[in-house]
Amino acid sequence: MAFFEPIGTCMLALACLAPVQPAESTFQLTSHHANGRIGSVSLTCQPTGGSHPGRGKACASLSKVDGKFDRLRGEPRACTLEYSPVDVSAVGKWRGEPVIFRTSYANPCVADADSDGVFTF
């Protein structure tokens, strides 16, 4: 038995040296359009995954603002002044911390531009 004690101690020590992985970030994103269309996708960051069609860009955008959806800012661009509201929400966690976000945009173009692609689906 004494033979295995150093091996066990070594194994435990090596486990302690393993790099710490950041807590997973996962979201369920939904959009409700004025025309009745409802969209819903999953988004996982670190590692990137989910059903979001632009998951890489969406995760990069969220990383820039440390997962704070209210700080998302896209590139300025021209959108029509059409009023066709889109209500969006994000429920999940960013690096292990709970996140609940809801807001409305004037139309789908504004939702895309102002969320830096996070709510483009």
Side-chain angles (χ1 to χ4, degrees):
M1 274 275 223
F3 173 76
F4 291 107
E5 286 179 25
I7 293 173
T9 303
C10 179
M11 296 297 277
L12 289 174
L14 289 176
C16 294
L17 295 177
V20 175
Q21 298 295 322
E24 189 175 81
S25 300
T26 60
F27 301 101
Q28 187 65 40
L29 307 175
T30 58
S31 63
H32 298 265
H33 297 252
N35 65 6
R37 180 180 168 271
I38 298 173
S40 182
V41 297
S42 61
L43 177 64
T44 302
C45 301
Q46 304 155 350
T48 302
S51 62
H52 193 293
R55 57 189 166 267
K57 182 179 186 323
C59 286
S61 298
L62 286 167
S63 289
K64 285 187 228 174
V65 296
D66 196 28
K68 295 181 176 37
F69 283 81
D70 58 337
R71 293 186 182 170
L72 287 169
R73 300 290 178 262
E75 295 294 320
R77 70 170 166 197
C79 287
T80 64
L81 297 178
E82 165 194 15
Y83 184 69
S84 181
V86 179
D87 298 321
V88 300
S89 66
V91 177
K93 58 185 176 175
W94 177 257
R95 296 184 179 154
E97 295 297 317
V99 173
I100 297 175
F101 174 79
R102 289 184 177 83
T103 195
S104 296
Y105 297 102
N107 61 49
C109 178
V110 175
D112 177 32
D114 286 359
S115 74
D116 202 17
V118 173
F119 291 106
T120 305
F121 52 87

